[in-house]
Amino acid sequence: MPETPPPPGSTPPEKPGSWVMLVLWLAVLLSLLSIFLADTGPSTETVSYSAMKEIIRERDVSAAVIAEHEITVTIGTPGAADSVAYRAVLPVQDGESLLATLENRGVEITARAPEGVSILTYLLPWLLIFGAIIWLNSRMTGGLGGARGPGNLFSGRFSKPTERRQRVTFDDVAGQDEVKREVSELVDFLREPDRFHRVGAEAPHGVLLMGPPGTGKTLLAKALAGEADVPFFSTSGSEFIEVFVGVGAGRVRKLFEAARKAAPAIIFIDELDSIGRTRGTGLGGGHDEREQTLNQILAELDGFGEREAVVVLAATNRPDVLDPALLRPGRFDRHVTLNLPDREARREILGIHARKLPLAGDAGLDAIAAGTPGFSGADLKNLLNEAAISAARRGGAQITGADLQDARDKVMMGTVRTLAIQPEEHHRLAVHEAGHAAVAYYTPGADTLYKVTIIPRGRSLGGTHMLSEEERHTLPEDYLRAQIVTLLAGRAAEKQLIGTVSSGADDDIKRATQLARSMVGRWGMDPEIGPIDLRQNEDHPFLGRSMAMPRIHAEQTAAQVDRAVMSLLSAAEEEATATLAAHADEVASLIAALEEKEVLDFEEIRRCLDPESATAAAAP
Ligand code: ADP
């Protein structure tokens, strides 16, 4: 979620921990000081009791100070530079005899009352404990802006939920027309709740926004608040998770309370999945807090009266892991899905964000929109920003088409890296990438080539980049086979033209294997095994990555899957090798061109691989 500036007129949140720390430091400093001060004075030598007796008898003692267990005598004028002091510990019973001697010699004797222990010594541990509690409290309530001092101890911290009036409207949200239509009904409800109440209509209270990150869920919620012109209370699910059980629930209560007071209002909860996961399935500890928070949200949703014009929007990109209780009628019962933008929507998003940028003409936004399948709204915004940065670096006043192309390459493939590459490695890289590119070019059904490069970018040394021609929602079998063939073509080319293979195919093999496994064990694309789910691992909702599953099929079946995967992969490799052999001359010219220029775009690739059609296309 993007940061929004604090509402005008609000004071910057005071950090409750800071003054506590100040007091603590002062206390420590003071006590150190008192110890230090107590020890100053003329240099005093500590001597034994017998030596002290001797000193008193023999030397010219001018003054004596007797404290509880201690005697200090001074030789010479007290305070003078040449005076010397001696100190000795008194035996328990003695003192009388010494006193007598001192008196006889006419020494001035001062007795000092037993020293009281500094009050700080008593106070310090308490100060420390108290400080630690306040510090902890401030830590656990930190983040949402507001507990002031120890009065709020343990009460949870939603003292003042962030309420903002947004100026974002639906015009700022590109594409997503269906979604806008779906939620526009809510705008009417928030604007004129009475109209709904009159006819006894109960407006929805909970709306779940689902969709991949960056598709504009937060933006849509803000736009809704902007359109309806109501306060916007925004928080994130992860902010409710704290060390102490019950704090999150307290915050939920306060958040809803504040929104009810401000009604009509919108509450937006980002990352609902971080609290809303199916209960009772927490891995490891710490899910009690989550459950309580979740229960509190459910209770609040149920507690909305018919007349309360508060709409709760929650965003998640993992609707599959949500607790079913959240989705029941009366709770988040409206589901709105935001998809990655298609070409037209991408063009619109680029248009919206380019409004504020000095573009040179149109700068080819259409081409960028066409060449960025799979980009989210946030990615596109980022792309424009990268282009602006590259224009600024260049010292240009406008963003050109070239800036945009560079930015896209950077976002898609990573930043160019300088890396010393040996000549023979350079050659191997060219062979490898040319293999991918050539096979992708000649294999029917594969994605269209976009660019091939042997310049190290991001984490890879080279790359063959392809674009899906259209948005794909399902993957046909021949497309998948073509992908595997293309993936294995780099290695096949190395083997064929250099004679050995290298570790460069690591990721290719991994991806090809994953695809082949999915084809066989998931999508039923092996004729012998047929349509059966034989996955051995699963994307685990709570760990956020895949986890091995217990195998529920026979050893034999597993072996059969392995065999099918292997034969799929080796068939693909054979096909790649055959394709490369059939076009050996063209591949050789591609390798040469790649070694020379390091980056080739589609036209240049075509000129190497298909000279006739390239000239035919160029002629008219
Ligand atoms: P999400 O909450 O789905 O992760 P955000 O709403 O935070 O995504 O989107 C991040 C940014 O991407 C937004 O602030 C906005 O600038 C941009 N963006 C995303 N989708 C769109 C869209 N459809 N139209 C315009 N801008 C968008």
Side-chain angles (χ1 to χ4, degrees), residues 1-2 172-174 176 212-219 349 353 377-378 381:
M1 200 180 81
D172 296 299
V173 186
Q176 315 285 15
T215 41
K217 297 181 289 293
T218 313
L219 185 70
I349 295 175
H353 291 288
K381 189 180 170 187

PDB file of all heavy atoms in Angstrom, residues 1-2 172-174 176 212-219 349 353 377-378 381, ligand 1:
ATOM      1  N   MET A   1       0.847  -1.192   0.000  1.00  0.00           N
ATOM      2  CA  MET A   1       0.000   0.000   0.000  1.00  0.00           C
ATOM      3  C   MET A   1       0.878   1.235   0.000  1.00  0.00           C
ATOM      4  O   MET A   1       1.817   1.324   0.758  1.00  0.00           O
ATOM      5  CB  MET A   1      -0.831  -0.033   1.281  1.00  0.00           C
ATOM      6  CG  MET A   1      -2.046   0.829   1.198  1.00  0.00           C
ATOM      7  SD  MET A   1      -2.968   0.723   2.743  1.00  0.00           S
ATOM      8  CE  MET A   1      -2.080   1.839   3.772  1.00  0.00           C
ATOM      9  N   PRO A   2       0.568   2.176  -0.859  1.00  0.00           N
ATOM     10  CA  PRO A   2       1.413   3.369  -0.871  1.00  0.00           C
ATOM     11  C   PRO A   2       1.191   4.225   0.359  1.00  0.00           C
ATOM     12  O   PRO A   2       0.099   4.229   0.936  1.00  0.00           O
ATOM     13  CB  PRO A   2       0.942   4.091  -2.137  1.00  0.00           C
ATOM     14  CG  PRO A   2      -0.427   3.585  -2.403  1.00  0.00           C
ATOM     15  CD  PRO A   2      -0.543   2.240  -1.801  1.00  0.00           C
ATOM     16  N   ASP A 172      -9.153   7.863 -11.612  1.00  0.00           N
ATOM     17  CA  ASP A 172      -7.751   7.517 -11.409  1.00  0.00           C
ATOM     18  C   ASP A 172      -7.508   6.025 -11.550  1.00  0.00           C
ATOM     19  O   ASP A 172      -6.379   5.572 -11.521  1.00  0.00           O
ATOM     20  CB  ASP A 172      -7.290   7.972 -10.019  1.00  0.00           C
ATOM     21  CG  ASP A 172      -7.349   9.473  -9.882  1.00  0.00           C
ATOM     22  OD1 ASP A 172      -6.658  10.154 -10.645  1.00  0.00           O
ATOM     23  OD2 ASP A 172      -8.116   9.961  -9.028  1.00  0.00           O
ATOM     24  N   VAL A 173      -8.586   5.277 -11.625  1.00  0.00           N
ATOM     25  CA  VAL A 173      -8.445   3.831 -11.764  1.00  0.00           C
ATOM     26  C   VAL A 173      -8.712   3.474 -13.214  1.00  0.00           C
ATOM     27  O   VAL A 173      -9.832   3.651 -13.706  1.00  0.00           O
ATOM     28  CB  VAL A 173      -9.443   3.095 -10.852  1.00  0.00           C
ATOM     29  CG1 VAL A 173      -9.187   1.608 -10.895  1.00  0.00           C
ATOM     30  CG2 VAL A 173      -9.349   3.614  -9.435  1.00  0.00           C
ATOM     31  N   ALA A 174      -7.687   2.980 -13.889  1.00  0.00           N
ATOM     32  CA  ALA A 174      -7.862   2.635 -15.299  1.00  0.00           C
ATOM     33  C   ALA A 174      -8.368   1.215 -15.419  1.00  0.00           C
ATOM     34  O   ALA A 174      -8.075   0.374 -14.567  1.00  0.00           O
ATOM     35  CB  ALA A 174      -6.531   2.782 -16.024  1.00  0.00           C
ATOM     36  N   GLN A 176     -10.568  -2.062 -15.289  1.00  0.00           N
ATOM     37  CA  GLN A 176     -11.376  -2.580 -14.169  1.00  0.00           C
ATOM     38  C   GLN A 176     -12.814  -2.066 -14.222  1.00  0.00           C
ATOM     39  O   GLN A 176     -13.411  -1.765 -13.192  1.00  0.00           O
ATOM     40  CB  GLN A 176     -10.760  -2.198 -12.801  1.00  0.00           C
ATOM     41  CG  GLN A 176      -9.274  -2.404 -12.695  1.00  0.00           C
ATOM     42  CD  GLN A 176      -8.863  -3.855 -12.557  1.00  0.00           C
ATOM     43  OE1 GLN A 176      -9.664  -4.747 -12.819  1.00  0.00           O
ATOM     44  NE2 GLN A 176      -7.631  -4.112 -12.170  1.00  0.00           N
ATOM     45  N   PRO A 212      -4.113 -10.229  -7.722  1.00  0.00           N
ATOM     46  CA  PRO A 212      -2.666 -10.219  -7.523  1.00  0.00           C
ATOM     47  C   PRO A 212      -2.182  -8.861  -7.002  1.00  0.00           C
ATOM     48  O   PRO A 212      -2.888  -7.866  -7.166  1.00  0.00           O
ATOM     49  CB  PRO A 212      -2.102 -10.478  -8.922  1.00  0.00           C
ATOM     50  CG  PRO A 212      -3.240 -10.844  -9.780  1.00  0.00           C
ATOM     51  CD  PRO A 212      -4.495 -10.464  -9.112  1.00  0.00           C
ATOM     52  N   PRO A 213      -1.001  -8.826  -6.398  1.00  0.00           N
ATOM     53  CA  PRO A 213      -0.478  -7.567  -5.877  1.00  0.00           C
ATOM     54  C   PRO A 213      -0.343  -6.532  -6.988  1.00  0.00           C
ATOM     55  O   PRO A 213      -0.030  -6.886  -8.126  1.00  0.00           O
ATOM     56  CB  PRO A 213       0.902  -7.925  -5.338  1.00  0.00           C
ATOM     57  CG  PRO A 213       1.012  -9.391  -5.383  1.00  0.00           C
ATOM     58  CD  PRO A 213      -0.101  -9.945  -6.172  1.00  0.00           C
ATOM     59  N   GLY A 214      -0.592  -5.289  -6.639  1.00  0.00           N
ATOM     60  CA  GLY A 214      -0.363  -4.216  -7.602  1.00  0.00           C
ATOM     61  C   GLY A 214      -1.471  -4.009  -8.610  1.00  0.00           C
ATOM     62  O   GLY A 214      -1.330  -3.235  -9.538  1.00  0.00           O
ATOM     63  N   THR A 215      -2.601  -4.710  -8.432  1.00  0.00           N
ATOM     64  CA  THR A 215      -3.676  -4.540  -9.401  1.00  0.00           C
ATOM     65  C   THR A 215      -4.610  -3.399  -9.020  1.00  0.00           C
ATOM     66  O   THR A 215      -5.619  -3.185  -9.671  1.00  0.00           O
ATOM     67  CB  THR A 215      -4.493  -5.831  -9.566  1.00  0.00           C
ATOM     68  OG1 THR A 215      -4.679  -6.411  -8.289  1.00  0.00           O
ATOM     69  CG2 THR A 215      -3.788  -6.797 -10.476  1.00  0.00           C
ATOM     70  N   GLY A 216      -4.296  -2.712  -7.938  1.00  0.00           N
ATOM     71  CA  GLY A 216      -5.082  -1.521  -7.624  1.00  0.00           C
ATOM     72  C   GLY A 216      -6.176  -1.729  -6.600  1.00  0.00           C
ATOM     73  O   GLY A 216      -7.163  -1.001  -6.594  1.00  0.00           O
ATOM     74  N   LYS A 217      -6.009  -2.692  -5.694  1.00  0.00           N
ATOM     75  CA  LYS A 217      -7.037  -2.926  -4.682  1.00  0.00           C
ATOM     76  C   LYS A 217      -7.123  -1.738  -3.724  1.00  0.00           C
ATOM     77  O   LYS A 217      -8.208  -1.227  -3.428  1.00  0.00           O
ATOM     78  CB  LYS A 217      -6.742  -4.225  -3.913  1.00  0.00           C
ATOM     79  CG  LYS A 217      -6.772  -5.439  -4.802  1.00  0.00           C
ATOM     80  CD  LYS A 217      -6.518  -6.724  -4.048  1.00  0.00           C
ATOM     81  CE  LYS A 217      -5.086  -6.886  -3.587  1.00  0.00           C
ATOM     82  NZ  LYS A 217      -4.135  -7.067  -4.699  1.00  0.00           N
ATOM     83  N   THR A 218      -5.965  -1.315  -3.247  1.00  0.00           N
ATOM     84  CA  THR A 218      -5.933  -0.157  -2.355  1.00  0.00           C
ATOM     85  C   THR A 218      -6.461   1.077  -3.072  1.00  0.00           C
ATOM     86  O   THR A 218      -7.254   1.842  -2.531  1.00  0.00           O
ATOM     87  CB  THR A 218      -4.484   0.101  -1.908  1.00  0.00           C
ATOM     88  OG1 THR A 218      -3.917  -1.125  -1.501  1.00  0.00           O
ATOM     89  CG2 THR A 218      -4.434   1.093  -0.787  1.00  0.00           C
ATOM     90  N   LEU A 219      -6.014   1.223  -4.305  1.00  0.00           N
ATOM     91  CA  LEU A 219      -6.429   2.372  -5.109  1.00  0.00           C
ATOM     92  C   LEU A 219      -7.945   2.402  -5.255  1.00  0.00           C
ATOM     93  O   LEU A 219      -8.586   3.445  -5.102  1.00  0.00           O
ATOM     94  CB  LEU A 219      -5.766   2.261  -6.481  1.00  0.00           C
ATOM     95  CG  LEU A 219      -5.968   3.422  -7.427  1.00  0.00           C
ATOM     96  CD1 LEU A 219      -5.206   4.620  -6.912  1.00  0.00           C
ATOM     97  CD2 LEU A 219      -5.513   3.060  -8.825  1.00  0.00           C
ATOM     98  N   ILE A 349      -3.715   2.646 -18.162  1.00  0.00           N
ATOM     99  CA  ILE A 349      -2.949   2.888 -16.927  1.00  0.00           C
ATOM    100  C   ILE A 349      -1.724   3.739 -17.249  1.00  0.00           C
ATOM    101  O   ILE A 349      -1.420   4.712 -16.555  1.00  0.00           O
ATOM    102  CB  ILE A 349      -2.518   1.557 -16.266  1.00  0.00           C
ATOM    103  CG1 ILE A 349      -3.755   0.794 -15.807  1.00  0.00           C
ATOM    104  CG2 ILE A 349      -1.585   1.807 -15.099  1.00  0.00           C
ATOM    105  CD1 ILE A 349      -3.469  -0.574 -15.243  1.00  0.00           C
ATOM    106  N   HIS A 353      -0.879   7.509 -15.661  1.00  0.00           N
ATOM    107  CA  HIS A 353       0.325   7.882 -14.915  1.00  0.00           C
ATOM    108  C   HIS A 353       1.259   8.771 -15.726  1.00  0.00           C
ATOM    109  O   HIS A 353       2.120   9.431 -15.158  1.00  0.00           O
ATOM    110  CB  HIS A 353       1.056   6.630 -14.435  1.00  0.00           C
ATOM    111  CG  HIS A 353       0.290   5.913 -13.367  1.00  0.00           C
ATOM    112  ND1 HIS A 353       0.172   6.406 -12.092  1.00  0.00           N
ATOM    113  CD2 HIS A 353      -0.444   4.783 -13.400  1.00  0.00           C
ATOM    114  CE1 HIS A 353      -0.584   5.593 -11.389  1.00  0.00           C
ATOM    115  NE2 HIS A 353      -0.974   4.599 -12.154  1.00  0.00           N
ATOM    116  N   GLY A 377      -0.658  -2.938 -12.618  1.00  0.00           N
ATOM    117  CA  GLY A 377      -0.701  -1.478 -12.630  1.00  0.00           C
ATOM    118  C   GLY A 377       0.515  -0.890 -11.930  1.00  0.00           C
ATOM    119  O   GLY A 377       1.108   0.085 -12.390  1.00  0.00           O
ATOM    120  N   ALA A 378       0.881  -1.510 -10.820  1.00  0.00           N
ATOM    121  CA  ALA A 378       2.027  -1.005 -10.062  1.00  0.00           C
ATOM    122  C   ALA A 378       3.313  -1.151 -10.873  1.00  0.00           C
ATOM    123  O   ALA A 378       4.170  -0.266 -10.857  1.00  0.00           O
ATOM    124  CB  ALA A 378       2.134  -1.743  -8.739  1.00  0.00           C
ATOM    125  N   LYS A 381       3.431   1.595 -13.451  1.00  0.00           N
ATOM    126  CA  LYS A 381       3.784   2.867 -12.832  1.00  0.00           C
ATOM    127  C   LYS A 381       5.294   2.918 -12.595  1.00  0.00           C
ATOM    128  O   LYS A 381       5.955   3.915 -12.872  1.00  0.00           O
ATOM    129  CB  LYS A 381       3.031   2.962 -11.500  1.00  0.00           C
ATOM    130  CG  LYS A 381       3.127   4.292 -10.837  1.00  0.00           C
ATOM    131  CD  LYS A 381       2.346   4.246  -9.543  1.00  0.00           C
ATOM    132  CE  LYS A 381       2.610   5.468  -8.724  1.00  0.00           C
ATOM    133  NZ  LYS A 381       1.986   5.348  -7.391  1.00  0.00           N
TER     134      LYS A 381
HETATM  135  P1  ADP B   1      -2.744  -3.522  -4.432  1.00  0.00           P
HETATM  136  O1  ADP B   1      -3.387  -2.896  -3.257  1.00  0.00           O
HETATM  137  O2  ADP B   1      -3.683  -4.304  -5.289  1.00  0.00           O
HETATM  138  O3  ADP B   1      -1.505  -4.290  -4.158  1.00  0.00           O
HETATM  139  P2  ADP B   1      -2.275  -0.799  -5.145  1.00  0.00           P
HETATM  140  O4  ADP B   1      -3.637  -0.271  -5.163  1.00  0.00           O
HETATM  141  O5  ADP B   1      -1.447  -0.508  -3.960  1.00  0.00           O
HETATM  142  O6  ADP B   1      -2.271  -2.355  -5.408  1.00  0.00           O
HETATM  143  O7  ADP B   1      -1.545  -0.331  -6.471  1.00  0.00           O
HETATM  144  C1  ADP B   1      -0.295   0.237  -6.464  1.00  0.00           C
HETATM  145  C2  ADP B   1      -0.226   1.375  -7.445  1.00  0.00           C
HETATM  146  O8  ADP B   1      -0.332   0.915  -8.785  1.00  0.00           O
HETATM  147  C3  ADP B   1      -1.369   2.339  -7.270  1.00  0.00           C
HETATM  148  O9  ADP B   1      -1.060   3.309  -6.349  1.00  0.00           O
HETATM  149  C4  ADP B   1      -1.527   2.918  -8.659  1.00  0.00           C
HETATM  150  O10 ADP B   1      -0.692   4.030  -8.823  1.00  0.00           O
HETATM  151  C5  ADP B   1      -1.054   1.826  -9.574  1.00  0.00           C
HETATM  152  N1  ADP B   1      -2.214   1.143 -10.173  1.00  0.00           N
HETATM  153  C6  ADP B   1      -2.587  -0.139  -9.970  1.00  0.00           C
HETATM  154  N2  ADP B   1      -3.685  -0.435 -10.697  1.00  0.00           N
HETATM  155  C7  ADP B   1      -4.039   0.671 -11.334  1.00  0.00           C
HETATM  156  C8  ADP B   1      -5.109   1.005 -12.229  1.00  0.00           C
HETATM  157  N3  ADP B   1      -6.027   0.111 -12.599  1.00  0.00           N
HETATM  158  N4  ADP B   1      -5.156   2.263 -12.697  1.00  0.00           N
HETATM  159  C9  ADP B   1      -4.234   3.176 -12.342  1.00  0.00           C
HETATM  160  N5  ADP B   1      -3.216   2.932 -11.518  1.00  0.00           N
HETATM  161  C10 ADP B   1      -3.094   1.697 -11.008  1.00  0.00           C
END
